[in-house]
Amino acid sequence: MKKITVNGPAKLSGEVTVSGSKNAALPIIFATLITEGISELRRLPDIGDVRVALDIIRSFGAEVLSMDGVTYIDTRRLSYCQPSEEQTAKIRASTYLLGACLSRFGRCRLSSFGGCNFALRPIDMHIDACLALGAEMREGEIFAQRLLGSEITFKKQSVGATVNAILLAVSAEGESVIRGFATEPHIDALIDFLLSAGASIERTEDEMRIVGRRLHGGKATVIGDMIEAGTYLSVALATGGKVRVRDCPFVDMSSFFKTLTAFGAENRMSGNVFSTSLRGRGEYISVTALPYPGFPTDLQPIIAPLMAIGSGGDITDTVWHTRFGYLDTLSDFGIRSELSGNRARIYPSKISPAKVTAPDLRGGAACLISALAAEGQSEIYSAEIILRGYENLTEKLRALGADINIQEF
């Protein structure tokens, strides 16, 4: 296990470069399984979830080579196997094996899919997409002798189910039409990769039309991580500093920037660099997490310490109603809150140092922000949970002026 030690407070200032998006990289890695060739992926973040995903595709025979900032994945000689549950239980993205394995091998065993346990996250919509294209379930496995194009209409937006529907449709015989799909930027990133591999995908605002065909190796440069960008911008405001975020995907973050302005931030953009600093105590903030282009659910834990430092606020999450377990941990830092259903009220609070265990990836990042704002030494255990989603986290924070260390214990 790993522990992060922070000596605060720290007024963080300077420039940080955003890494490739975790949420974009993972679907693309699993999508390489349905290609037959060598794919070239640039800007893959060196984080825990990506390393696990690469280990999983290696278990099918994929050859992975990283050189000069490019990761080459050779999927010409694959054979079906059952990845260990120890691997698949580590990351939620292992659900993408449903679409990838059915498309490449015609079968997939239903495993223990992992990730943060802040909510019960069923895979019924994923399974429905598989069945719609001709798959059958038998004794804990799902099979498809032939995948046939079909129409899929999701009753609610789901990124994971949308990814699996696309992975299935690009290999199915005939045309598929998908409606009610998620529109997050990492869905577009997956589509761009598959198009480079020879897929036939046409997307309008309301539907995708996909004609299945054989795919060759593709190319992708992973988009910037808007959750990482939002984390560093929040760190700046929580500590009263000024941080410039290079390669910030600002086009995808308008709802988040509006929240920063309400908090009292002065935001500036120059080229691909976005900077923020605190100009004064902001107003009471109300945030509602929604599917894209609404406020990202992954950023709602990140914003909680800002509310506590400022004039308070409330958070409603319509995506994951029970994603508030991190509030119990933040209470150890003195952050006062009240929870009712899928709505939390955060009260203005004096933040104090604490010793805590990271409750989940983004909740752990909220603890880190709190530790940086508190006066004294804080310790965050199970730090590997946070490192699942942040590349070179301690190095980047030290470059901004943080007194932070990470160690095994």
Side-chain angles (χ1 to χ4, degrees):
M1 295 180 66
K2 295 183 178 181
K3 175 183 73 171
I4 291 176
T5 302
V6 176
N7 291 297
K11 189 173 183 178
L12 300 191
S13 297
E15 184 172 291
V16 63
T17 299
V18 169
S19 299
S21 166
K22 174 180 83 78
N23 291 335
L26 295 172
I28 292 171
I29 290 171
F30 285 104
T32 63
L33 291 176
I34 64 177
T35 70
E36 294 187 48
I38 300 176
S39 294
E40 300 178 17
L41 308 185
R42 300 177 184 272
R43 208 184 182 192
L44 273 188
D46 184 16
I47 55 176
D49 277 21
V50 165
R51 290 192 288 271
V52 172
L54 292 174
D55 283 343
I56 290 174
I57 67 169
R58 284 190 186 98
S59 68
F60 294 100
E63 297 181 11
V64 181
L65 173 66
S66 295
M67 184 171 56
D68 298 329
V70 183
T71 299
Y72 299 91
I73 302 177
D74 186 345
T75 53
R76 290 174 294 182
R77 293 172 291 276
L78 302 184
S79 58
Y80 180 75
C81 74
Q82 175 57 38
S84 71
E85 293 213 2
E86 181 182 1
Q87 286 180 310
T88 58
K90 288 180 179 178
I91 58 172
R92 178 66 181 175
S94 58
T95 53
Y96 301 148
L97 288 172
L98 288 170
C101 286
L102 280 176
S103 289
R104 183 66 183 258
F105 309 112
R107 62 185 295 195
C108 181
R109 175 167 288 279
L110 301 178
S111 302
S112 297
F113 302 117
C116 296
N117 62 351
F118 53 76
L120 179 63
R121 297 193 275 182
I123 61 168
D124 54 324
M125 294 174 64
H126 304 243
I127 298 295
D128 288 345
C130 297
L131 299 180
L133 275 76
E136 298 178 354
M137 291 182 63
R138 296 197 300 268
E139 297 180 355
E141 281 197 84
I142 189 161
F143 296 88
Q145 291 185 342
R146 295 172 65 195
L147 290 171
L148 302 174
S150 182
E151 293 193 8
I152 299 172
T153 300
F154 293 116
K155 295 180 180 178
K156 64 177 182 178
Q157 291 186 8
S158 164
V159 171
T162 298
V163 168
N164 270 322
I166 294 171
L167 296 181
L168 293 161
V170 293
S171 298
E173 298 177 29
E175 183 179 72
S176 296
V177 180
I178 306 173
R179 301 184 182 92
F181 50 85
T183 60
E184 272 74 3
H186 34 287
I187 296 295
D188 289 332
L190 172 64
I191 291 172
D192 288 343
F193 168 74
L194 291 170
L195 288 172
S196 77
S200 173
I201 305 174
E202 294 182 1
R203 178 189 152 175
T204 66
E205 185 177 339
D206 299 318
E207 67 179 25
M208 286 187 216
R209 291 187 174 271
I210 302 176
V211 178
R213 56 177 58 172
R214 190 169 180 174
L215 303 183
H216 51 73
K219 295 183 179 181
T221 298
V222 179
I223 61 176
D225 194 320
M226 67 176 177
I227 309 304
E228 183 190 15
T231 300
Y232 287 116
L233 292 170
S234 297
V235 162
L237 299 180
T239 63
K242 181 176 182 178
V243 171
R244 300 182 302 277
V245 177
R246 184 170 294 277
D247 294 344
C248 180
F250 51 84
V251 173
D252 303 324
M253 299 177 66
S254 59
S255 61
F256 180 72
F257 294 150
K258 290 177 182 177
T259 301
L260 296 189
T261 300
F263 178 73
E266 181 178 356
N267 302 318
R268 293 183 180 179
M269 185 175 64
S270 176
N272 69 340
V273 179
F274 190 93
S275 64
T276 191
S277 59
L278 199 60
R279 67 168 186 264
R281 187 180 178 91
E283 60 194 57
Y284 185 92
I285 306 172
S286 291
V287 167
T288 299
L290 295 162
Y292 183 83
F295 192 94
T297 181
D298 277 355
L299 282 174
Q300 67 98 330
I302 306 299
I303 211 75
L306 293 188
M307 292 177 171
I309 290 168
S311 301
D314 61 76
I315 303 170
T316 302
D317 199 320
T318 69
V319 180
W320 298 115
H321 293 185
T322 57
R323 189 178 191 161
F324 291 100
Y326 68 89
L327 291 176
D328 285 339
T329 308
L330 291 189
S331 68
D332 290 338
F333 289 96
I335 295 178
R336 298 180 298 114
S337 63
E338 183 179 354
L339 182 61
S340 177
N342 68 328
R343 181 174 180 269
R345 172 164 289 180
I346 313 297
Y347 296 101
S349 310
K350 177 177 173 54
I351 297 183
S352 303
K355 294 183 179 181
V356 300
T357 298
D360 56 67
L361 170 53
R362 306 306 174 185
C367 292
L368 184 54
I369 293 172
S370 302
L372 289 164
E375 184 173 355
Q377 186 176 91
S378 296
E379 296 179 354
I380 304 173
Y381 294 83
S382 296
E384 60 275 6
I385 294 175
I386 306 173
L387 300 178
R388 284 180 41 217
Y390 293 92
E391 182 178 44
N392 298 329
L393 176 65
T394 54
E395 292 85 352
K396 289 181 179 181
L397 287 173
R398 282 196 205 106
L400 296 175
D403 183 350
I404 181 171
N405 290 287
I406 188 165
Q407 63 190 83
E408 301 275 355
F409 72 97

